[in-house]
Amino acid sequence: MIFDAWVQALASFGDPYLWLFIVIGIAIGLISGIVPAVSGLTACALLLPFTFKMSIWESLPLMVAILATSSAGGAITAILLNVPGNAANAPTTIDGFRMTQNGEGARALGASLTSSAVASIFSAVVSLAIIPIILPLVMAIRSADMVFVIVLGLSFVAVLARGSMLKGFLSGIIGLLISFIGYHAVTGMGRFTYGIGYLYEGIRLVPVALGLFAVPEMIQLATEGGSISKREAVFKGLRQVWLGLKDSFRHWHIVLRGSIIGFIVGIAPGIGPSVAGWVSYAQAKQTSRHPERFGTGTVEGVIAPESANSASEAGDLLTTLALGIPGSGAMALVLGAIIMAGIVPGPDMMTKHLDMSIALMLVIIVSIFLACLLCLLLASQMARLAFIPGSVLVPLVLIAVFVGAYATDGQIEDVILTLVLSAVGCIMAKFGFNRPALFLGFLLGAHFERYLFISLQVSGPLFFMRPISLTLIFINLLLFVFSPAKRWFQRRKEAQVA
Amino acid sequence: MKLKSESYVYIALMIIMLLTIIQTLMMTSFVTESLPLIVSSIGFVLASAGLWRGVVAQKKGQVVKRRTEGEEERRTGSWKGYLAHSGWVVGYVAGIYFLGFLVATFIFTLTYMKHLGSRWTTTIVSAILAPVFIWAAFELGLKVTMWRGVVFGWLGY
């Protein structure tokens, strides 16, 4: 079975359309990484309406290529302009921009991109190697277990994400309640529809994604004045790039440690690449023979966060594909594209669509390799994208949001719903509520209810008396004990970095 | 004691959860109502906990640290900006509803870009290109009939 899937996955790379979507994904990923207000998450949210017209072999590689490359793009502006393209690139600015000020910007960029590429490839290869090991476990999962897999996923996102745990849970609950709107799958009765015909089919995914993730970012950018960067990018000397490339291999242990940290953080749902970067930076500083050099422009301070944030993507994708639990908001959108394609998230991607899962890991390897090559050649020109004024970016992205919301189904109600959910997204962003948790609750709510109903019908009220379910309940309980300890650990690490 | 703005969000959530609970109790099928009832009840408890925690923290905070007038002004300013830009988005959607995508996009691009400080040439070129792109990409390319607007509907177009 695995051999056949590998053959099919490799054969899919003979399709020129797959390559076309990978190249488009790399371009969008790099641009979204470089332009500070637009993250890979925003780019994927904007693309979601168009995935309706695509096959799953086009939409998923496109989104994965975007997510795999956006942090590489973000490193360019973090190093050359002191403006992190993504939140994940924030730790890179500490030493990266200092190196640019010291006249070593090209070296920092060479080191950052090489370590990103090596870490991503390492993480994707480990994920591919793990698939045969986790496959029997995934195949043993039944409906009863899926109930607790979903609960665990929501708990992870609510508990481990930055910000208040209470707000995380409340966000997840709001998402679940939104998913209950419309016909009940079993009884056929309408819930919370208030006689509005549009609501009977339930809330659609695209307005939720666009409203929650795209509009609040643009309003924030417009409120802040819309200026992105005023510095001029300084990038000279291909010899320095070569030096940076050699630095990555000279400090291979930092790249390896960063890759492992990134992969583990990526696998654990709800933490995300930005935490991986900070943990790796703090760890590199702690174990360095010269910790005093961190913050003054040392290349280790660039390699550590970049290797970790890049490695986290493959780990995150593995959990999303195997269990249907995304580790970040961006992966939640990938999950959304999987659901829109009619695939039940979770074990299906490791059984019926294993070839696709393997191909997506290979897409990560190919796209990060090509992206880093492109960045090394065109870094200076690409950094100019950071100068796109907010006054141009904000109106055009807002237009794309509402046009995209309408174009999916051709219903004006979708546009109005996007507006309503934008208001919800803005309030949540302003008060520090957890938007990915809401989105995940919304995505998995219907599946949660269906699995719960099937389990109760088949096994009765004690449906959870199965080894996997009990283990998942135990992990869930452990999470509540672990969470305060983790928060204390995180505060300590951040204090050390500062 | 004046409540923090976050507390009002919790109060709003409590009201929404309470209304959801009442509505689920009015449903006739136990299978249909059970999960929303459980979830909204948990939501109500969590929102109440959030409100209580906010009020307690505020009481302690008033003794330890009072917000300076400058801070208050910055916060209010940020809120005003946030609401003003949200107003533009609401205006755009209203424009789409009444005038359709093409006309609303032209007006929105022209006025909002200028409001944000773009140059006239950039603004005019974008205002013309944006609806042309929407028409070419969606109407011609993807064969999606874009919303024409209720006003044009009344006029018989």
Side-chain angles (χ1 to χ4, degrees):
Chain A
M1 181 180 154
I2 291 177
F3 180 75
D4 289 345
W6 263 98
V7 171
Q8 280 170 8
L10 288 171
S12 68
F13 279 82
D15 181 3
Y17 275 105
L18 179 71
W19 284 99
L20 177 71
F21 281 99
I22 290 174
V23 170
I24 295 171
I26 292 170
I28 297 173
L30 289 177
I31 292 169
S32 65
I34 292 166
V35 180
V38 185
S39 61
L41 172 76
T42 317
C44 283
L46 287 171
L47 269 176
L48 205 59
F50 302 96
T51 59
F52 268 111
K53 310 267 178 194
M54 298 177 188
S55 82
I56 192 162
W57 282 93
E58 293 163 351
S59 59
L60 290 186
L62 178 71
M63 290 175 100
V64 168
I66 291 172
L67 297 178
T69 53
S70 70
S71 71
I76 297 177
T77 45
I79 290 167
L80 298 182
L81 304 167
N82 199 24
V83 180
N86 286 322
N89 301 112
T92 312
T93 55
I94 301 171
D95 282 281
F97 185 63
R98 195 48 74 87
M99 283 181 80
T100 302
Q101 286 177 320
N102 298 342
E104 291 184 313
R107 185 180 172 183
L109 210 56
S112 135
L113 293 170
T114 311
S115 52
S116 275
V118 172
S120 278
I121 293 167
F122 169 87
S123 181
V125 169
V126 171
S127 300
L128 285 168
I130 282 178
I131 287 175
I133 302 165
I134 60 168
L135 201 56
L137 179 75
V138 171
M139 287 170 83
I141 291 176
R142 297 282 174 267
S143 296
D145 308 321
M146 276 311 291
V147 171
F148 297 103
V149 166
I150 292 172
V151 172
L152 188 66
L154 281 171
S155 305
F156 261 118
V157 174
V159 172
L160 297 184
R162 283 178 172 230
S164 157
M165 194 164 95
L166 189 131
K167 284 178 181 171
F169 275 113
L170 256 175
S171 307
I173 278 172
I174 297 167
L176 280 172
L177 287 173
I178 293 174
S179 79
F180 294 148
I181 295 172
Y183 273 121
H184 185 258
V186 180
T187 60
M189 282 175 67
R191 287 187 300 199
F192 312 117
T193 51
Y194 308 103
I196 303 167
Y198 168 78
L199 293 177
Y200 275 90
E201 283 180 35
I203 300 290
R204 286 159 183 82
L205 198 145
V206 172
V208 181
L210 290 171
L212 284 182
F213 298 117
V215 177
E217 307 306 321
M218 288 304 114
I219 289 180
Q220 188 65 40
L221 179 65
T223 310
E224 283 167 3
S227 79
I228 293 172
S229 182
K230 291 177 179 67
R231 286 194 185 90
E232 191 61 52
V234 184
F235 180 82
K236 284 173 190 165
L238 275 173
R239 239 186 96 236
Q240 274 201 17
V241 173
W242 178 246
L243 262 176
L245 194 144
K246 283 204 291 188
D247 280 330
S248 297
F249 289 103
R250 200 156 51 87
H251 297 289
W252 62 269
H253 53 283
I254 299 178
V255 178
L256 182 68
R257 274 204 301 258
S259 306
I260 294 168
I261 290 170
F263 181 72
I264 293 169
V265 169
I267 276 185
I271 307 180
S274 45
V275 175
W278 283 111
V279 172
S280 178
Y281 185 88
Q283 203 276 340
K285 187 179 176 183
Q286 229 171 23
T287 53
S288 172
R289 283 181 194 163
H290 303 286
E292 73 284 352
R293 286 187 195 164
F294 278 73
T296 61
T298 179
V299 77
E300 291 118 293
V302 173
I303 292 170
E306 281 304 311
S307 52
N309 68 35
S310 298
S312 70
E313 296 295 349
D316 197 352
L317 182 65
L318 182 68
T319 327
T320 308
L321 296 176
L323 298 172
I325 302 173
S328 59
M331 277 301 162
L333 291 171
V334 173
L335 187 71
I338 293 173
I339 292 171
M340 285 202 306
I343 298 171
V344 179
D348 266 13
M349 283 304 287
M350 286 286 132
T351 49
K352 291 179 199 162
H353 302 279
L354 185 59
D355 52 342
M356 163 59 72
S357 301
I358 292 171
L360 289 178
M361 289 296 170
L362 295 175
V363 167
I364 288 186
I365 295 174
V366 170
S367 49
I368 192 73
F369 181 76
L370 291 176
C372 289
L373 211 64
L374 200 69
C375 289
L376 287 172
L377 293 172
L378 300 169
S380 188
Q381 287 80 2
M382 287 170 129
R384 286 185 193 148
L385 282 169
F387 295 92
I388 293 176
S391 59
V392 175
L393 194 71
V394 173
L396 296 184
V397 172
L398 286 173
I399 290 166
V401 164
F402 291 104
V403 170
Y406 178 79
T408 314
D409 274 339
Q411 295 199 58
I412 193 67
E413 290 88 346
D414 282 342
V415 175
I416 296 162
L417 186 64
T418 307
L419 180 71
V420 172
L421 288 160
S422 301
V424 173
C426 287
I427 291 168
M428 289 182 78
K430 200 76 184 154
F431 290 103
F433 280 82
N434 190 333
R435 285 176 287 164
L438 187 151
F439 190 62
L440 193 62
F442 165 72
L443 270 186
L444 300 178
H447 296 286
F448 175 73
E449 192 170 19
R450 202 185 61 240
Y451 286 128
L452 184 66
F453 184 76
I454 293 170
S455 309
L456 284 167
Q457 287 285 307
V458 174
S459 315
L462 293 176
F463 67 89
F464 53 86
M465 296 303 279
R466 286 171 41 81
I468 297 177
S469 296
L470 289 172
T471 311
L472 289 166
I473 293 169
F474 177 71
I475 295 171
N476 223 326
L477 292 173
L478 211 63
L479 190 66
F480 290 98
V481 182
F482 165 76
S483 173
K486 181 245 163 193
R487 274 163 201 273
W488 177 81
F489 179 74
Q490 197 175 315
R491 272 201 294 271
R492 197 168 150 241
K493 283 271 177 202
E494 280 174 358
Q496 277 175 356
V497 170
Chain B
M1 184 180 69
K2 197 185 167 196
L3 285 174
K4 274 195 332 185
S5 45
E6 193 176 271
S7 303
Y8 291 108
V9 176
Y10 284 119
I11 291 169
L13 281 173
M14 282 169 67
I15 294 168
I16 291 168
M17 297 296 167
L18 204 60
L19 290 173
T20 312
I21 291 168
I22 293 166
Q23 219 193 338
T24 48
L25 286 172
M26 280 154 61
M27 288 176 187
T28 48
S29 157
F30 176 73
V31 177
T32 317
E33 72 171 12
S34 53
L35 202 55
L37 183 64
I38 295 166
V39 171
S40 48
S41 305
I42 297 171
F44 182 79
V45 172
L46 287 178
S48 315
L51 178 66
W52 179 76
R53 211 169 63 171
V55 171
V56 170
Q58 202 180 349
K59 272 184 182 171
K60 281 182 187 171
Q62 275 180 340
V63 181
V64 179
K65 183 189 165 191
R66 278 183 186 277
R67 197 181 286 146
T68 63
E69 276 180 27
E71 267 180 294
E72 194 64 62
E73 260 174 44
R74 267 202 304 279
R75 268 177 76 90
T76 319
S78 148
W79 264 112
K80 275 181 186 166
Y82 217 76
L83 286 173
H85 290 288
S86 304
W88 277 94
V89 179
V90 174
Y92 178 48
V93 173
I96 291 170
Y97 185 75
F98 288 108
L99 301 169
F101 272 99
L102 302 181
V103 177
T105 301
F106 174 78
I107 297 169
F108 175 71
T109 316
L110 193 75
T111 51
Y112 194 40
M113 273 178 83
K114 199 64 211 144
H115 171 76
L116 290 174
S118 259
R119 288 184 198 152
W120 269 114
T121 43
T122 319
T123 307
I124 292 168
V125 169
S126 305
I128 294 168
L129 284 183
V132 169
F133 176 78
I134 291 170
W135 177 76
F138 290 91
E139 298 249 354
L140 291 184
L142 295 168
K143 309 283 179 209
V144 176
T145 310
M146 298 306 284
W147 176 257
R148 297 273 183 263
V150 288
V151 171
F152 291 103
W154 292 331
L155 294 173
Y157 288 101

